[in-house]
Amino acid sequence: MWSVQDQRLSARSAFISDSMEKIGTTLTQHIWQEQKTHPQSRGSLSELLYEIALVCKIISREVNKAGIAEIYGLTGEVNVQGEEVQKLDEFTQNIFVNILGHCGHLCALASEEEEGIVNLSKEKELGDYVMLFDPLDGSSNIDANVSVGTIFSIYKRVTKKGPGTMEDLMQAGNKQVAAGYVIYGSSTMFVYSTGNGVYGFTLDPTIGEFLLTHENITMPDKVKNYSTNERDYHSWPEGIRKYIDEIKKEGKVSARYIGSLVADIHRTLLYGGVFLYPSTEKNPNGKLRLLYEANIMAFLIEQAGGRASNGQKNILEIEPSELHQRVPLYIGNKEEVKKIEDFLH
Ligand code: AHG
Ligand code: MN
Ligand code: MN
C-alpha cells in the first residue's frame, strides 16, 4: 500500500519526466552536441554562441517592451551609414560590445553601427574568433511594431596573436565557422548553422530558454513568394525587370516584402521563394552589406539547400575589399536564383 507521500512523489516524478519530454532540446544542449562532433574543440565557439544567445534574450526583452521603456524612436544621431540611429540600435550595439567584448573568445568585433574595428585591445583576454554583426536589422520598422532582428557572423582569426585586424574580419563568407540571426517577431527565434544544417529555436520566455522547434530546416522546392522593394523597378538592371514582369504575368507567386531583411529571409527560408535586393543606377552595389547581412543569409540558405548570388557569383565566394561594402543580393530557391542569374546575362 503506498503512503500518501509515496503517491505524491510518484505523481511529481511522472509530471517532471512528462514535462521534460515536452521541453525537448535547448539551444545550449544543441550547441554542446554540435561541439562534440569536433573532438579537438575546446568549447570556445560554443561559449561564444551561448553569449550571443544571452545578449539576444536581453534584446528580446527590450524589443518587446520598447514602447513602455521609452526606447522607441530616434536618438537624433546619424550613424556611419548615414542612417538615423534608433534608440534600440544604440542599446543593442552597446550591449553586444559590452558582453561580447569581455567574453574572452574574440580578438575583434565589427558592427554595422561602427566605422572601424571595435577596439578590444584593453581586454585582458583575447580569443581566437572574430564576429561581425548587425545588432538590429530592420530598425526603421521598430516604431510600427514590425519584426526586427539581429544578424551575426563568426570566423576563426587568421593572424596569430594580439588584437584582431581587418585581415581577420574580411574573409570570404565560405570561411564562416558559424552564422545566424535572431528574429524578434510574434515569437523570438534563434536560427543558426555551424555548417552542419540550419536549426531554429523558439524562446520560451517563461523559462528563458531557446527550445528546438525547427530541426534541420530545408527550403521547400515550391517558389511561394517573391520579395523585393518595387520602388526601384525603373532603375533595376533590365534582366531583373524582365524576371519580375514574367512572374507577375504568370500570377502564381505572391509578392511579400516586409523591409526587414531578417523577417524577409526567415519567411523565404521556411516557405520557399526568392528575395531580391538588386543593384540600381544610383546604388550599383545595391543596399545590403556583404559582411554582416548577405554572407550570413547566404550561408544559412545554402545550408538549407538554396542559393545566394550577387547576380554573377555565389555570395560566399566574394573576397571582401572593405568592411561596409554593399552587394546586390538574389537569394532563395536554388533553381530560381539560377534563373535570375540567367536573366541578368
Ligand atoms: P538596417 O535596419 O540594419 O539598416 O537594415 C535595413 C535593411 C534590411 O533590413 C532590409 O532588407 C532593407 O534595409 C530594406 O531596404 P528598403 O527600405 O530600401 O527596402
Ligand atoms: Mn540590417
Ligand atoms: Mn541594423
Side-chain angles (χ1 to χ4, degrees), residues 112 134 136-138 151 289 293:
E112 174 196 73
D134 178 353
L136 201 69
D137 173 69
I151 311 174
R289 280 56 58 113
E293 289 176 322

Side-chain angles (χ1 to χ4, degrees), residues 137 150-151 176 179-181 261-263 265-266 269 290 292-303 307-308 315-316 329 331:
D137 173 69
T150 292
I151 311 174
Q176 291 175 97
Y181 60 77
L261 181 68
V262 171
I265 297 297
H266 189 62
L269 182 66
L290 174 64
Y292 41 81
E293 289 176 322
N295 265 342
I296 295 90
M297 301 316 186
F299 186 74
L300 295 173
I301 278 283
E302 199 163 282
Q303 283 288 317
R307 176 175 171 78
I315 290 282
L316 296 174
L329 179 62
I331 182 170

Side-chain angles (χ1 to χ4, degrees), residues 55 57 188 197 291:
V55 169
K57 286 182 201 173
T188 292
L291 286 171

Side-chain angles (χ1 to χ4, degrees), residues 34-309:
E34 286 292 294
Q35 176 188 318
K36 282 193 285 189
T37 62
H38 303 280
Q40 78 291 355
S41 165
R42 288 177 297 117
S44 182
L45 178 59
S46 297
E47 285 178 31
L48 180 53
L49 289 167
Y50 300 152
E51 296 289 315
I52 295 168
L54 168 67
V55 169
C56 293
K57 286 182 201 173
I58 297 169
I59 294 173
S60 174
R61 182 192 64 194
E62 293 310 309
V63 165
N64 288 319
K65 67 173 190 182
I68 307 161
E70 286 308 302
I71 53 176
Y72 273 140
L74 301 173
T75 57
E77 282 139 50
V78 171
N79 69 5
V80 63
Q81 318 283 341
E83 295 156 344
E84 291 176 320
V85 177
Q86 304 271 0
K87 286 179 188 167
L88 222 42
D89 275 321
E90 205 166 283
F91 171 84
T92 53
Q93 168 70 9
N94 294 339
I95 197 150
F96 255 108
V97 171
N98 293 339
I99 294 186
L100 272 294
H102 300 316
C103 76
H105 302 294
L106 292 172
C107 62
L109 255 180
S111 162
E112 174 196 73
E113 301 294 336
E114 291 225 9
E115 176 71 36
I117 300 181
V118 174
N119 191 330
L120 301 183
S121 52
K122 58 188 178 311
E123 290 310 317
K124 51 191 178 309
E125 195 190 343
L126 293 171
D128 294 336
Y129 294 96
V130 299
M131 185 174 94
L132 300 109
F133 66 106
D134 178 353
L136 201 69
D137 173 69
S139 48
S140 60
N141 283 315
I142 296 170
D143 292 348
N145 204 9
V146 169
S147 299
V148 292
T150 292
I151 311 174
F152 62 89
S153 173
I154 302 171
Y155 296 86
K156 201 101 163 81
R157 71 179 304 167
V158 292
T159 57
K160 291 287 163 269
K161 57 186 184 349
T165 66
M166 279 300 182
E167 190 191 351
D168 295 307
L169 288 162
M170 293 213 286
Q171 301 182 48
N174 51 25
K175 299 277 191 328
Q176 291 175 97
V177 293
Y181 60 77
V182 177
I183 179 166
Y184 311 104
S186 50
S187 65
T188 292
M189 268 194 75
F190 186 104
V191 179
Y192 88 116
S193 175
T194 56
N196 198 11
V198 186
Y199 295 85
F201 299 79
T202 302
L203 181 64
D204 178 343
T206 65
I207 57 173
E209 278 292 354
F210 280 108
L211 304 177
L212 181 61
T213 47
H214 295 68
E215 172 110 31
N216 203 9
I217 299 172
T218 308
M219 281 199 77
D221 290 332
K222 188 174 175 326
V223 179
K224 188 165 164 59
N225 301 131
Y226 76 94
S227 182
T228 190
N229 186 334
E230 306 215 19
R231 163 201 63 204
D232 302 329
Y233 177 87
H234 292 290
S235 63
W236 283 341
E238 191 195 358
I240 298 299
R241 284 202 299 277
K242 284 199 162 52
Y243 170 73
I244 295 292
D245 289 346
E246 184 180 279
I247 278 199
K248 294 168 106 166
K249 205 158 63 194
E250 285 168 4
K252 295 197 190 82
V253 178
S254 297
R256 288 286 184 276
Y257 192 70
I258 301 167
S260 288
L261 181 68
V262 171
D264 280 316
I265 297 297
H266 189 62
R267 183 204 55 247
T268 303
L269 182 66
L270 295 185
Y271 290 5
V274 280
F275 173 92
L276 307 87
Y277 207 108
S279 54
T280 62
E281 286 143 21
K282 200 162 50 107
N283 299 313
N285 290 317
K287 170 183 185 181
L288 299 175
R289 280 56 58 113
L290 174 64
L291 286 171
Y292 41 81
E293 289 176 322
N295 265 342
I296 295 90
M297 301 316 186
F299 186 74
L300 295 173
I301 278 283
E302 199 163 282
Q303 283 288 317
R307 176 175 171 78
S309 166

